[in-house]
Amino acid sequence: MRGLADLIQPSPVHRHAVLARSERLAGTLASPPYPAEADDGPGSPRWDGQSLSSGHAGIAILHGIRARAGHGRWSRAADWLAAAVREPVAGAGGAGLWHGAPAIAFALHTAVPRQADRHLTQLDSFIAAMAERQVHSAYKRMAERRRPLPGEFDLVRGLTGLGVYFLRRDPAHPCLRSILGYMVQLTAPVPADDAAGISVPGWWTRHLPAGRPTVPFTDGHSDQGMAHGISGPLALLSLAAGIGVDVPGQMDAIVTIRDWLERCQQHSLAGPWWPERLTLADLHTGQPHQNGPARPSWCYGTPGITRTLQLTARALDDADRQSAAETALLACITDRDQLARLDNLALCHGWSGLITTVWAAAADATTAALSQQLTRLIVELLSTQLALPERPGLIDGTAGLALVLHSIATGTLAPWTSCLLLTGTDPA
């Protein structure tokens, strides 16, 4: 994988200016808040501590990576990590890679790895027990022929996220193989709950998406996205296979999910795109209810899915499909209509996530086309008039933008991107 310095060549003046912008943003997050003990409401900052998305754990990653590069103080990372564990560390009730014990461990491993060995060893055992419980629960659910919820398998709360943690922390850990084995079983088709008896994939969830009409989703749906959908498990399976970590049936599972995404792929004048969700009615008609590409976000859009398909093609040594994935991403990021749908600067849904995704894909690409467009996208990010994120955290907030600017200025694709499943093990 090539570093950013090999992909773009900003002038020293521009690099200094970008670093200064990152420093200013990081300075707004210099010290964690100290809420009053009586502040127990659900919106209180005290409950954000263990979150990569909006809270203290993610901000610690920003300061730790800046300090490792000689651009910040270690004390800032330590202060935010200390604030992150003011409350008992969560191991259930929504805990996953982005919240609770796994998020704290990921932050420690990313921000202060050398100082955190003792704590990480303790957390490893705790997270392994979490994974074992979740795998057992998933197999029980399968045996009872019930549909999964996204939190069983997704990146944010589910087993994909725990797999990401072990892939980075210790690829030889038996929990990673256990999680990969579960994902092989997740790909087995099951009958749908309709009179036609059509088969649907094993990740066909019974979850009703928030803010969506109930009726189209009453028979379940498939989520294609990276954050909560099947692209997350596919990326994990592919990244693991890419470094020689595999279990029986893994390559077949990779092909099964890849074939599903190829079946879902739609075409427009602007290039390929994927529907965020497919319902049973969509399968019956052969057409998605979504009538065109949505915003080009990491979490649900074409960028995240094409990066997954690129990783899959690399794992399968399939040059033609790798080229197709890169061409689809290139079409997406050169379509002004799609780019105009990006209305924020954050990692999850906005410009920072798009640039980080394209950067990761360009570093592995077979041609220079993506890296050439990456330079243009960075210029657009630096010149945008969009407001800064309102939240402070890494995935949804200011810390994520500051970290992307720091990465641009230093020319380093840092290992924090594995929490987005854009990379796996730490880059050499």
Side-chain angles (χ1 to χ4, degrees):
M1 175 178 283
R2 292 168 286 169
L4 185 61
D6 301 318
L7 302 177
I8 62 171
Q9 298 295 331
S11 72
V13 174
H14 291 159
R15 195 180 293 273
H16 178 78
V18 175
L19 192 62
R21 289 181 66 174
S22 175
E23 170 65 34
R24 287 196 296 273
L25 289 175
T28 68
L29 302 170
S31 302
Y34 288 87
E37 287 299 316
D39 187 5
D40 289 326
S44 167
R46 71 183 290 182
W47 304 114
D48 287 342
Q50 298 165 37
S51 171
L52 292 186
S53 179
S54 59
H56 305 350
I59 298 169
I61 290 175
L62 164 66
H63 290 302
I65 287 177
R66 294 189 74 252
R68 291 170 71 176
H71 296 293
R73 299 195 299 271
W74 286 108
S75 60
R76 287 186 176 180
D79 288 347
W80 282 98
L81 286 168
V85 293
R86 286 180 194 151
E87 305 295 335
V89 177
L97 182 64
W98 286 14
H99 177 74
I104 297 295
F106 185 90
L108 286 168
H109 183 60
T110 305
V112 290
R114 293 181 181 177
Q115 299 94 317
D117 280 347
R118 178 172 59 85
H119 300 295
L120 282 170
T121 299
Q122 294 174 341
L123 283 167
D124 285 348
S125 297
F126 188 72
I127 297 166
M130 282 180 58
E132 289 172 3
R133 289 195 302 270
Q134 291 184 31
V135 168
H136 176 77
S137 178
Y139 281 129
K140 183 174 184 293
R141 188 268 307 163
M142 291 178 187
E144 295 171 353
R145 307 287 285 175
R146 291 183 287 111
R147 301 269 180 256
L149 291 173
E152 177 184 297
F153 60 82
D154 73 4
L155 172 65
V156 177
R157 302 185 306 276
L159 284 162
T160 294
L162 299 186
V164 167
Y165 174 74
F166 286 112
L167 184 67
R168 266 201 68 204
R169 172 73 173 139
D170 178 10
H173 199 287
C175 269
L176 177 57
R177 294 182 62 83
S178 177
I179 290 168
L180 295 175
Y182 149 76
M183 289 179 175
V184 170
Q185 296 303 313
L186 184 67
T187 63
V190 294
D193 299 326
D194 78 318
I198 189 172
S199 291
V200 296
W203 61 86
W204 193 264
T205 179
R206 59 188 174 89
H207 174 65
L208 295 176
R212 299 297 181 106
T214 301
V215 173
F217 295 97
T218 52
D219 294 315
H221 71 278
S222 169
D223 185 320
Q224 278 62 251
M226 184 75 99
H228 298 291
I230 196 56
S231 286
L234 178 57
L236 177 64
L237 287 163
S238 300
L239 285 165
I243 62 169
V245 179
D246 55 39
V247 297
Q250 182 169 337
M251 304 311 286
D252 288 340
I254 288 173
V255 170
T256 295
I257 304 173
R258 180 205 67 192
D259 289 351
W260 171 265
L261 289 177
E262 290 183 352
R263 175 184 172 189
C264 296
Q265 181 178 317
Q266 305 297 306
H267 298 275
S268 70
L269 293 177
W273 62 276
W274 285 261
E276 294 182 356
R277 299 176 178 91
L278 284 175
T279 67
L280 199 60
D282 295 335
L283 297 189
H284 280 302
T285 63
Q287 294 292 329
H289 63 278
Q290 183 177 326
N291 58 16
R295 61 186 170 188
S297 63
W298 159 83
C299 57
Y300 273 102
T302 297
I305 293 173
T306 51
R307 171 56 173 166
T308 297
L309 290 172
Q310 183 196 39
L311 291 170
T312 298
R314 286 169 59 83
L316 297 172
D317 195 22
D318 189 331
D320 289 342
R321 281 188 165 91
Q322 179 174 346
S323 177
E326 293 164 6
T327 299
L329 177 56
L330 184 65
C332 171
I333 62 176
T334 53
D335 179 19
R336 301 307 309 179
D337 289 339
Q338 289 187 67
L339 292 179
R341 297 188 179 103
L342 289 175
D343 59 2
N344 69 80
L345 297 173
L347 278 169
C348 191
H349 303 100
W351 275 96
S352 292
L354 173 64
I355 284 173
T356 307
T357 305
V358 175
W359 175 356
D364 287 332
T366 54
T367 72
L370 286 174
S371 62
Q372 292 165 357
Q373 293 300 321
L374 177 61
T375 302
R376 176 184 60 82
L377 293 174
I378 289 173
V379 170
E380 292 197 37
L381 170 67
L382 298 177
S383 62
T384 183
Q385 298 301 308
L386 290 173
L388 294 175
E390 295 182 2
R391 296 183 177 184
L394 182 71
I395 308 296
D396 284 325
T398 306
L401 174 60
L403 191 48
V404 170
L405 292 174
H406 169 83
S407 300
I408 291 169
T410 58
T412 305
L413 182 63
W416 62 268
T417 54
S418 60
C419 73
L420 302 176
L421 260 178
L422 298 175
T423 56
T425 54
D426 291 356

